[in-house]
Amino acid sequence: MALLWAVAGAVCLYVLVYYGMFRGASCSSPVRLEGKTAIVTGSNTGIGKATALDLAKRGARVILACRNKERAEAAALDIRTESGNHQVLFMQLDLASFASVRSFAETFLKSEPRLDILINNAGVMGPGQTEDGFGMAFGVNHLGHFLLTSLLLERLQRCGPSRVVTVSGLLHRFGHIHFPLLASRKDLVSGQSAWQDFRAYCGSKLCNVLFTRELADRLEGSAVSCYSLHPGVVYTDLCRSLSLWQQLLMLPFAKLFFLDTEGGAQTTLHCALKEGIEPLSGRYFSNCALQQVGARGRDDALAKKLWEHR
């Protein structure tokens, strides 16, 4: 009997923790997107693919902006099959290369007359440098998306009301930006190690929060609104950068508590689709609701300095 009570207690605790802390809300918007065009970066897998699938089910023309052609074309086929929407296509984009970002924007602007939703979803955590010599996390997660948004901004304004949604994360609270380090090393950290990779990832997510804040200020009065967000605790392909033993250690916990990719896409979809949130442009969302960002994420002077530094 004691064992039975212990098992029942453990189950109750799991349910309380899972539903109280980990399980996210769902996007409640019924909006249809026929005649609208959306770009989702990093959409061949994980949260990005789940986001693209939902947009396709709503009737949008969806551009999968991805680096790996084979995986992206397979994802596009999956999404077309599941959604019944044949307006899902792949366009090559490597956010670790400014030349690739510019090429993507040029191709898109020549071939697509509309852009209604830009979702800056792609993210990496790991060592190395971009083609342009920047730290990988800083270059891909932030700089690549900054350049992409800048190049597509005129089209977004022309097609307004439109939205820019940038995936950040709770870890932005642990991020720091050292401008002398950026100037000397083109990175947010000074070395290469698992700990430094984690710090660089946190810093890149802080940059995304600040970018969204400053972008909203610069677009005030326009037909473009922008939002940053924490998608929730999700086990995605981002974890592929972890070592094998780290992945094996995390897997049981992930299976029990982490959101699946569909759950992880809900706040992104909320920011992209929810009616009436335009007055909240520049703000940060989590669990499909407005949330307060960390102190550094509210620093308007830091946001402006980062923008000008870029």
Side-chain angles (χ1 to χ4, degrees):
M1 181 61 71
L3 180 60
L4 186 61
W5 278 108
V7 171
V11 170
C12 289
L13 180 62
Y14 168 73
V15 170
L16 287 172
V17 171
Y18 178 69
Y19 282 89
M21 296 178 60
F22 293 92
R23 183 176 172 83
S26 295
C27 173
S28 60
S29 173
V31 164
R32 297 292 304 173
L33 297 173
E34 284 82 3
K36 306 290 187 182
T37 298
I39 294 173
V40 186
T41 69
S43 44
N44 62 343
T45 188
I47 297 172
K49 185 178 179 182
T51 301
L53 174 60
D54 188 282
L55 298 176
K57 286 180 176 179
R58 295 170 186 266
R61 181 174 177 83
V62 184
I63 311 299
L64 308 188
C66 306
R67 179 180 58 84
N68 188 302
K69 180 179 180 180
E70 184 179 350
R71 293 179 67 184
E73 288 184 337
L77 178 60
D78 289 345
I79 294 170
R80 287 194 296 266
T81 301
E82 186 169 345
S83 67
N85 180 349
H86 296 288
Q87 296 192 85
V88 179
L89 60 152
F90 157 68
M91 286 191 187
Q92 187 99 39
L93 172 65
D94 183 357
L95 289 161
S97 163
F98 290 161
S100 176
V101 175
R102 291 190 175 96
S103 176
F104 171 89
E106 182 180 0
T107 300
F108 176 86
L109 293 172
K110 285 180 178 178
S111 62
E112 297 292 331
R114 296 194 61 85
L115 179 57
D116 302 276
I117 302 170
L118 171 60
I119 297 179
N120 295 321
N121 165 81
V124 298
M125 179 169 58
Q129 293 183 319
T130 68
E131 183 180 285
D132 306 280
F134 291 92
M136 188 61 73
F138 179 59
V140 171
N141 300 354
H142 178 61
L143 286 181
H145 283 130
F146 173 82
L147 178 59
L148 178 65
T149 304
S150 300
L151 294 171
L152 298 176
L153 200 52
E154 185 178 340
R155 182 62 52 86
L156 284 159
Q157 290 173 310
R158 190 191 308 170
C159 298
S162 53
R163 295 188 182 183
V164 179
V165 179
T166 302
V167 177
S168 177
L170 184 66
L171 291 175
H172 82 271
R173 294 176 178 273
F174 302 101
H176 293 81
I177 302 171
H178 301 286
F179 290 99
L181 197 59
L182 277 179
S184 63
R185 297 183 60 91
K186 301 172 79 172
D187 204 351
L188 297 167
V189 294
S190 58
Q192 294 284 323
S193 67
W195 171 242
Q196 296 285 27
D197 292 344
F198 174 75
R199 290 183 61 229
Y201 179 81
C202 295
S204 73
K205 294 304 183 179
L206 172 61
C207 288
N208 283 352
V209 169
L210 294 169
F211 160 61
T212 301
R213 195 176 184 91
E214 181 66 14
L215 181 62
D217 285 347
R218 291 171 181 259
L219 292 174
E220 187 174 1
S222 78
V224 183
S225 55
C226 49
Y227 313 93
S228 64
L229 64 104
H230 169 53
V233 185
V234 188
Y235 192 79
T236 72
D237 276 7
L238 179 66
C239 299
R240 66 183 178 270
S241 60
L242 300 175
S243 66
L244 179 60
W245 73 266
Q246 288 172 323
Q247 292 186 46
L248 290 173
L249 194 63
M250 182 178 287
L251 189 59
F253 187 78
K255 291 293 186 182
L256 283 172
F257 292 110
F258 288 9
L259 294 173
D260 60 17
T261 54
E262 181 182 355
Q266 295 306 304
T267 302
T268 299
L269 293 165
H270 176 87
C271 291
L273 304 173
K274 183 68 176 177
E275 308 91 331
I277 63 171
E278 288 81 5
L280 301 176
S281 183
R283 304 292 294 276
Y284 171 83
F285 286 75
S286 178
N287 206 26
C288 295
L290 186 66
Q291 295 289 335
Q292 183 72 282
V293 295
R296 284 182 288 276
R298 300 193 300 272
D299 189 333
D300 289 331
L302 182 60
K304 186 177 292 294
K305 185 176 181 180
L306 178 64
W307 187 286
E308 293 169 350
H309 187 85
R310 282 186 297 255

